Amino acid sequence: MKNEDAIKKMFAERSKALTFIIGNQKGGVGKTTNTYLIAYTLAKWGIKTLVADLDPQSNSTKTLMLTKSQNTDTVNTVNKTLMRGVQEKNLVDLPVKILDNLYLLPSYIDFEDFPKYLYKNTKTDYEETHLLEPLFEPLKKDYDVIILDVPPLSIEVTRNAVIFSDYVVISLQTHDDSLSGAEEYVKTLVRLKGQYDLPVEVLGFLPMLHDRRGAVDQLVIDSAKEEFGSDLVFNTIVPQMARIKRFPINGITDMDRFDKKVLNKYEEVTDEFLQRLLDFES
C-alpha cells in the first residue's frame, strides 16, 4: 500500500466511515466481484470494512459466508437479513464478522420486496429516497469503509444508496452494454446530486476485460476516457482470470498461485482505489 501513513491518518481522523457504491446500471459487469475483493483487500491491510449487500440475489453474501466457512470449523448461519432489519428500523445488530476487519451486512431473496415496502411506508419523494439513510448512519461510526453492493435494475435501491454515499466506483466490463449502463448510472447520479445537493463523487471507472484479445475492449476503454475524462478511468485493468469464477463457489481463498494472481491484481486495484481516495480527501 503506497502512502500508508497518510492513508492511516486519513481514516484515523474521521469519526465515521467513508461509504462507496460499486455501481453500473447493467448487470453482469463485475460489480459484486469488485465489491468483495476490494473489501477483502482493505481488511487484510487493517482497514475495518463492512460490505452491505443490497442485492436480493445476495451473491456478496454467499461468497463472503463461504469465505467465513473457509476460516472456521463452526456452521455459519445468518440470523437476520437486511429486509428484516429495514422492517424493524434497525441494522446495527445485522453485521456478521467474516474475517478480522471484514464484516458483512447480509441480504436474501426477501429484499426483492424492498420497493413494495418503500412505497407502502413513504408519502413523498424525499421519504422514498431517504428511507435507508437513517438506518445506515449508526453503522458508520463502527467502520472505516462501507461498500454497498447495489443491484443493477432497482432504481429504488440505487436512489437510496446514493443519498448516503460519499463515492461511486463504476464497474466497467469492456463491452458496449456495460458502457451504456455506466452512462445511465452517471445520469442518475448527476440528477440525484443536483436534486438533493449531495456531496457524492465518482471515484473512478474500473475496467474489467471482457476479452483480453478483443479490439472492442480497448475501444470501450478509450470511449470511456473520451466521455468521462481519462483521469477518471482507473489505470489498473482487471484481466480475465478463471479463478475469479471459483470464489462464488468456494469463497475467497489464498491457497495457490491462481488465487494469489487474483489477489495480487486486486491489491493493485485497491491501492489505486486508496490513492484516488487520498487525492479527493486531501
Side-chain angles (χ1 to χ4, degrees):
M1 177 170 46
K2 300 172 189 171
N3 298 313
E4 183 173 354
D5 290 342
I7 288 166
K8 287 184 176 179
K9 183 173 183 286
M10 173 181 66
F11 287 119
E13 290 177 345
R14 294 189 56 83
S15 59
K16 62 181 183 178
L18 285 164
T19 303
F20 301 82
I21 298 173
I22 308 293
N24 193 308
Q25 211 86 327
K26 174 78 171 57
V29 295
K31 294 190 304 297
T32 297
T33 299
N34 287 330
T35 296
Y36 58 66
L37 285 173
I38 290 172
Y40 178 90
T41 307
L42 289 170
K44 289 290 185 181
W45 288 348
I47 297 168
K48 192 174 181 184
T49 304
L50 173 68
V51 171
D53 191 352
L54 304 184
D55 191 337
Q57 292 187 26
S58 59
N59 290 325
S60 281
T61 296
K62 294 168 188 171
T63 301
L64 289 175
M65 289 301 291
L66 286 167
T67 303
K68 179 178 174 67
S69 293
Q70 291 276 357
N71 294 274
T72 179
D73 294 329
T74 59
V75 176
N76 298 299
T77 59
V78 172
N79 297 321
K80 182 176 172 181
T81 64
L82 174 60
M83 193 64 237
R84 175 67 67 84
V86 169
Q87 289 174 307
E88 295 178 358
K89 298 181 173 58
N90 181 11
L91 305 182
V92 172
D93 60 342
L94 262 69
V96 175
K97 184 177 181 181
I98 303 301
L99 301 168
D100 288 345
N101 295 313
L102 180 58
Y103 292 77
L104 166 70
L105 199 161
S107 189
Y108 191 61
I109 191 69
D110 60 351
F111 199 62
E112 283 189 348
D113 284 337
F114 177 74
K116 187 191 302 182
Y117 174 88
L118 183 72
Y119 294 128
K120 189 176 180 180
N121 291 275
T122 59
K123 296 178 181 177
T124 66
D125 286 348
Y126 185 91
E127 289 179 352
E128 284 177 15
T129 54
H130 288 71
L131 187 139
L132 289 181
E133 181 188 30
L135 302 183
F136 271 85
E137 195 60 32
L139 292 168
K140 291 188 175 186
K141 64 180 175 54
D142 295 327
Y143 301 94
D144 297 317
V145 168
I146 297 175
I147 302 182
L148 310 176
D149 187 7
V150 179
L153 299 176
S154 175
I155 192 63
E156 295 87 357
V157 176
T158 295
R159 286 172 178 162
N160 267 270
V162 168
I163 292 299
F164 64 90
S165 293
D166 300 293
Y167 296 98
V168 175
V169 174
I170 295 179
S171 186
L172 184 67
Q173 195 172 71
T174 50
H175 52 65
D176 286 339
D177 287 351
S178 179
L179 182 58
S180 298
E183 292 165 345
E184 290 304 312
Y185 202 91
V186 170
K187 288 177 185 176
T188 299
L189 193 65
V190 169
R191 189 163 56 248
L192 287 167
K193 186 176 170 71
Q195 185 176 357
Y196 296 111
D197 192 26
L198 302 175
V200 63
E201 297 285 354
V202 175
L203 192 69
F205 295 76
L206 176 57
M208 302 182 73
L209 291 189
H210 179 61
D211 179 355
R212 70 173 69 206
R213 294 179 300 275
V216 172
D217 292 69
Q218 189 58 50
L219 179 62
V220 169
I221 293 171
D222 290 343
S223 297
K225 287 180 177 180
E226 184 175 338
E227 181 163 356
F228 302 113
S230 58
D231 57 325
L232 272 180
V233 178
F234 273 61
N235 295 314
T236 310
I237 297 173
V238 180
Q240 283 183 313
M241 290 181 282
R243 180 52 56 95
I244 286 179
K245 297 177 183 177
R246 294 250 316 252
F247 290 160
I249 300 169
N250 300 323
I252 303 169
T253 52
D254 185 7
M255 300 191 311
D256 59 32
R257 63 189 177 92
F258 301 106
D259 287 344
K260 293 183 190 304
K261 183 179 179 181
V262 174
L263 297 178
N264 288 342
K265 175 53 66 175
Y266 270 89
E267 286 189 358
E268 293 178 33
V269 169
T270 307
D271 194 41
E272 184 171 353
F273 173 97
L274 289 171
Q275 301 313 312
R276 287 173 172 269
L277 178 60
L278 193 60
D279 289 341
F280 269 102
E281 292 290 311
S282 297

